[in-house]
Amino acid sequence: MIAHVEPFHATTIGRLAYELAGQGRDVIHLEYGQPSTGAPAAAIAAAHAVLDSEAGGYWESPALRERIARHYAEAYGVTVSPEQVFLTCGASPAFVLALSCLFRPGARVALARPGYVAYRNALRTLYIEPVEMACGPAERYQVTAAALDAMDPAPDGLIVASPANPTGTVIAPEELAAIAEVCARKGIAVISDEIYHGLTYGPAAQSMLQHVPDTLVVNSFSKWFSMAGWRLGWLVVPPALIDAARARIANLFLTPPVLAQHAGLVAFDCDEELHGHLANYARNRELLLAALPRLGLAHIAPPDGAFYIWADIGHLTDDSFAFCRQLLADTGVATAPGVDFDPIDGNRFIRFSFAASTPEIEDAIERMVVWFAARA
């Protein structure tokens, strides 16, 4: 038996966008959740120094694991030992590692819908059943404690993402605490995707570790640290799962790139540059929010964090993939179809990423205003 894995339609849009660019078209990429900025300058300098002096090999940086552990104490007031930190080639392997440590085939894991497409497909690849919870405006597109408590039977696990992809919504601290209470009472294991932590436009997001000490936390250098191409992430596991995680990572993934680990250690102390990126995202967010009425888009998820706007285009189409393809062909603006993130209702949604440069966002808005007006 082979698991059924659905395509990731945003990558198809991305390929078409690069093909158009190869033909000489001026393309603006709003389809991918990746920063347009590069790694911090000091991190790049550190990588150059290592490249000139070391051969590299299979290696996991003790200093980086210690720095990540210290980050949890400084940012969230929780204690994590370096032995609980596993370095990975980005967040995706960390997520697979977490699932394989926690669940057997046939387990049931709850998650929000809409939600990141790879959650659903990674679960299915491992023969774990995704139990999607419909989350709309009333729930701020997030899992709620009440909905989780009402599930019968209770799921074996729960995936939490705050800020979330594709909506950018953040779960309030009191709701996180309520979710934690339900999970503790019903024996539900928790995986928390905290890859967008740091990228918030109001109060900072809390870590699920502040509420569920044995949470498995996935994070990455791709978003806040602007190092998507360096393929570096991490997984925090509870002490009881250290041996299981060590056995799996050695057999499935080995270690992340040496250069990335050296650069990541330095990136942790590049706060001024990284907060400058956040200021750019905040500006881009405001530009798009101001432009949405001109596009005729009145219904969006509250973009509390990350760098996404999740917008309802149901008055214009019932096929978001075809809509995004046509938008790209006509304007050169690439966006992500909602069907990736919600296989039930996503055909009437679109996701804009505002991680591009501010001039690109301004240009994209001007291109889209006329195009959307013609379809109103």
Side-chain angles (χ1 to χ4, degrees), residues 7-15 31-32 321 335-337 340-341 351:
F8 196 165
H9 294 92
T11 62
T12 302
I13 296 294
R15 286 195 298 271
E31 79 277 30
Y32 289 139
F321 184 43
T335 53
D340 271 337
F341 311 97
R351 189 196 73 179

Side-chain angles (χ1 to χ4, degrees), residues 7-338:
F8 196 165
H9 294 92
T11 62
T12 302
I13 296 294
R15 286 195 298 271
L16 292 173
Y18 282 110
E19 288 175 7
L20 287 178
Q23 297 166 13
R25 289 282 303 276
D26 183 13
V27 172
I28 301 174
H29 292 278
L30 308 185
E31 79 277 30
Y32 289 139
Q34 63 181 21
S36 58
T37 51
I44 294 174
H48 276 296
V50 171
L51 187 63
D52 292 337
S53 61
E54 294 186 19
Y58 300 126
W59 177 69
E60 191 177 30
S61 169
L64 181 55
R65 293 169 65 193
E66 291 171 4
R67 183 63 183 87
I68 291 170
R70 179 158 61 91
H71 165 71
Y72 284 94
E74 295 172 347
Y76 308 111
V78 298
T79 299
V80 170
S81 73
E83 289 72 27
Q84 292 176 251
V85 178
F86 288 81
L87 303 178
T88 60
C89 294
S92 298
F95 184 63
V96 172
L97 180 61
L99 292 176
S100 68
C101 286
L102 277 176
F103 305 114
R104 296 180 178 180
R108 301 169 64 254
V109 175
L111 62 159
R113 176 175 61 81
Y116 182 44
V117 58
Y119 298 155
R120 183 171 66 249
N121 284 329
L123 288 164
R124 287 176 175 163
T125 299
L126 295 173
Y127 298 98
I128 299 167
E129 180 184 352
V131 182
E132 296 187 300
M133 305 170 66
C135 302
E139 299 83 18
R140 300 184 77 257
Y141 297 93
Q142 282 282 8
V143 170
T144 65
L148 183 64
D149 200 15
M151 295 182 73
D152 187 18
D156 300 293
L158 172 69
I159 297 169
V160 174
S162 175
N165 178 8
T167 61
T169 53
V170 171
I171 302 175
E174 60 272 17
E175 188 64 30
L176 273 181
I179 291 171
E181 188 279 327
V182 174
C183 290
R185 175 161 41 87
K186 296 198 169 186
I188 302 170
V190 181
I191 296 175
S192 183
D193 182 352
E194 300 180 0
I195 192 173
Y196 295 102
H197 275 217
L199 300 174
T200 54
Y201 309 100
Q206 287 196 346
S207 174
M208 199 63 179
L209 283 171
Q210 294 169 266
H211 303 279
V212 183
D214 59 353
T215 299
L216 279 77
V217 176
V218 174
N219 210 323
S220 168
F221 284 80
S222 295
K223 312 300 183 181
W224 169 252
F225 295 99
S226 195
M227 294 175 63
W230 294 74
R231 307 316 305 137
L232 182 62
W234 72 84
L235 176 69
V236 176
V237 305
L241 289 178
I242 288 175
D243 289 343
R246 186 174 292 133
R248 283 162 175 76
I249 199 169
N251 283 284
L252 295 175
F253 304 117
L254 291 176
T255 63
V258 168
L259 284 180
Q261 294 182 64
H262 284 288
L265 179 61
V266 173
F268 255 107
D269 296 315
C270 295
D271 284 348
E272 183 177 354
E273 187 173 346
L274 297 174
H275 277 91
H277 297 337
L278 179 61
N280 289 335
Y281 302 147
R283 172 60 177 159
N284 294 349
R285 173 180 175 272
E286 292 304 316
L287 287 170
L288 269 175
L289 289 176
L292 291 176
R294 297 165 62 196
L295 301 181
L297 304 182
H299 304 290
I300 67 166
D304 305 320
F307 30 56
Y308 304 120
I309 290 180
W310 178 248
D312 190 335
I313 55 170
H315 60 296
L316 300 174
T317 186
D318 61 358
D319 187 343
S320 60
F321 184 43
F323 185 90
C324 289
R325 289 178 65 126
Q326 195 63 53
L327 174 62
L328 172 62
D330 293 347
T331 68
V333 178
T335 53

